[in-house]
Amino acid sequence: MGTEAEWCLLLCLALSTAAETEPSAAAGQWRPVDVVLDCFLVDESGHHGTLVRSEDRVKALLVLRQVPVLDDGSLEDFTDFQGGALVRDDPPTVIFEASDLIQIPEAKALLHADCGGKEVTCEISRYFPQAREASAETAASFIANMQVSEGGPSVSVVMKILRDTDSGAAWHPTLSLPLTHQGTVQTAVEFQVTTRTQSLNYMLGSSVSLDCGFSMAPGLDLISVDWRLQHKGSGQLIYRWTAGQGQAEREGATLEPEQLQTAGDASLILSSLKVKDEGAYICQITTSLYRAQQIIQLNIQASPKVRLSLANKALPPTLICNIAGYYPLDMAVTWTREELGRSPVQVSGASFSSLRQSTAGTYSISSSLTAEPGFAGATYTCQVTHVSLKEPLGASTWVVPPEQKMALGVIFASGLFFLALLFLGLQRRQAPARVGLLQA
């Protein structure tokens, strides 16, 4: 293949063709394929504690060799990556080959991201192992962070540089790294931490599982798992697992020790979600040599309750729309007026009360509007738009014009007067009958 863009183009064509034809015989089976990603290699040397400049970022390619992907029929004509032509750029493109890759969850999202209108962000930087006794050979490592946009999966892999024993092997002109005969930097994946989604929205009071998985090469030992919450500049420990024991700092936080040790599943379960549970959760996995993490943004939502009432019966009438128990704060209120036989129109002039916040952290507010029912009356609707709602929520009421109110009042009063007269007449007719009975 020529470039990574051509790979994506051919893959998208294969996907569109597969959608119009019958699936291949291998559809539904796992197939190892090479995933090629456009990346940036970041040189952080000499910039400790400072921002990395744009000139310290160079273009690179990351070739994930033989990643197992579920074949849906679109990979029939997919070929493996062939290097060589890509290293003739000026300056030469750095190509990292990652072999011995441990299976990546949601690898298909990395492969098909461009075809789905999403973007993959890939950044590679040098990595220095945690252990002091790490040898110089082990220290020649890089970490690649790959993220799919729109809250997709995120993958971090620690790659160890494989030294070429061939004395005639070439070296990269600026990075002092050994190159294969194809002009690539060959690495082996030693450790990886993944999450299936970088962002979650959950309702207040519900339970959530924050996905975090890891895999490590033989010879490494799991030391600890830390879950931390960062929100509005402050951080706190939520859960820690170390030395075979877990300790929850947040009530209701759990982690399955058996899944942790047998399946590399460090997912955190939180029950009875509260507003204070919102924020960025950091899943940090520490081994005997490496440490990596994933960040998951948890957003808490609570749907508003809407009630519309008439504040006073005096003229002009005032409508009150109460919006209670919603979260987060952003919310919009729209008033509409509809006369009989006409389309509703939006009206302005509404005012708002002061914002109120409950002990649970949810918000409440009231919107007031002076009604103008007109000659025949009108229906007023208070409509609320909020991120927790699939569609706007509204409440409506019919407002009677003053003339109809007076007419109805007269009719009601006349009706009462007539009933009173009727009742008195019946009482007088029954009185002589009672007297006759007593005389008899």
Side-chain angles (χ1 to χ4, degrees), residues 85-108:
L86 293 173
V87 299
R88 297 191 177 93
D89 299 336
D90 188 20
T93 301
V94 187
I95 305 176
F96 288 87
E97 270 191 86
S99 58
D100 298 332
L101 194 71
I102 311 161
Q103 182 170 343
I104 297 179
E106 305 296 332
K108 196 172 183 179

Side-chain angles (χ1 to χ4, degrees), residues 73 108 117 142 182 190 201 222 229 248 250 295 297 314 325 337 378 400 421 424 427:
K108 196 172 183 179
F142 287 81
Q182 289 76 29
E190 291 279 286
N201 299 320
L222 178 63
L229 170 61
R250 187 265 196 198
I295 301 176
Q297 177 66 38
R337 179 181 182 275
V400 180
L421 290 178
L424 291 175
Q427 290 291 329

Side-chain angles (χ1 to χ4, degrees), residues 268-290:
L268 181 70
I269 299 174
L270 299 175
S271 61
S272 303
L273 290 176
K274 303 176 178 61
V275 169
K276 64 181 181 180
D277 291 321
E278 184 175 69
Y281 284 81
I282 303 172
C283 170
Q284 180 175 275
I285 311 295
T286 303
T287 70
S288 51
L289 194 60
Y290 305 109

Side-chain angles (χ1 to χ4, degrees), residues 225-427:
V225 175
D226 289 315
W227 277 95
R228 296 183 178 274
L229 170 61
Q230 294 285 339
H231 188 54
K232 295 182 178 180
S234 62
Q236 60 177 311
L237 179 66
I238 299 298
Y239 192 94
R240 168 169 288 172
W241 182 94
T242 185
Q245 294 183 347
Q247 181 179 355
E249 301 295 333
R250 187 265 196 198
E251 184 179 358
T254 59
L255 186 150
E256 296 294 338
E258 183 178 349
Q259 291 294 315
L260 176 68
Q261 295 179 310
T262 61
D265 186 358
S267 300
L268 181 70
I269 299 174
L270 299 175
S271 61
S272 303
L273 290 176
K274 303 176 178 61
V275 169
K276 64 181 181 180
D277 291 321
E278 184 175 69
Y281 284 81
I282 303 172
C283 170
Q284 180 175 275
I285 311 295
T286 303
T287 70
S288 51
L289 194 60
Y290 305 109
R291 176 184 296 164
Q293 65 184 27
Q294 290 296 336
I295 301 176
I296 305 169
Q297 177 66 38
L298 176 61
N299 302 311
I300 304 298
Q301 299 179 354
S303 299
K305 299 177 180 61
V306 180
R307 182 171 58 89
L308 184 59
S309 60
L310 188 63
N312 64 298
K313 297 181 180 180
L315 300 179
T318 301
L319 297 174
I320 301 292
C321 183
N322 291 301
I323 306 105
Y326 63 92
Y327 189 88
L329 180 60
D330 292 340
M331 179 269 305
V333 179
T334 304
W335 286 90
T336 58
R337 179 181 182 275
E338 181 180 3
E339 293 185 4
L340 187 63
R342 297 184 180 181
S343 300
V345 294
Q346 187 172 332
V347 294
S348 58
S351 60
F352 289 90
S353 68
S354 59
L355 186 67
R356 305 177 296 275
Q357 189 172 20
S358 68
T359 56
T362 59
Y363 297 101
S364 298
I365 199 170
S366 299
S367 178
S368 304
L369 180 71
T370 300
E372 298 178 0
F375 178 76
T379 298
Y380 278 82
T381 300
C382 169
Q383 185 169 273
V384 176
T385 303
H386 190 256
V387 66
S388 65
L389 301 172
K390 293 182 179 180
E391 56 184 21
L393 182 63
S396 301
T397 187
W398 170 261
V399 181
V400 180
E403 294 80 2
Q404 288 190 14
K405 282 187 176 181
M406 294 179 61
L408 290 174
V410 171
I411 294 173
F412 182 72
S414 301
L416 289 178
F417 181 71
F418 175 76
L419 290 175
L421 290 178
L422 182 61
F423 178 76
L424 291 175
L426 291 175
Q427 290 291 329

Side-chain angles (χ1 to χ4, degrees), residues 52-74:
V52 177
R53 300 171 302 180
S54 58
E55 53 264 34
D56 297 321
R57 291 161 51 94
V58 298
K59 290 184 178 181
L61 283 182
L62 177 60
V63 182
L64 304 176
R65 285 290 191 184
Q66 301 299 284
V67 180
V69 176
L70 189 63
D71 188 2
D72 58 0
S74 62

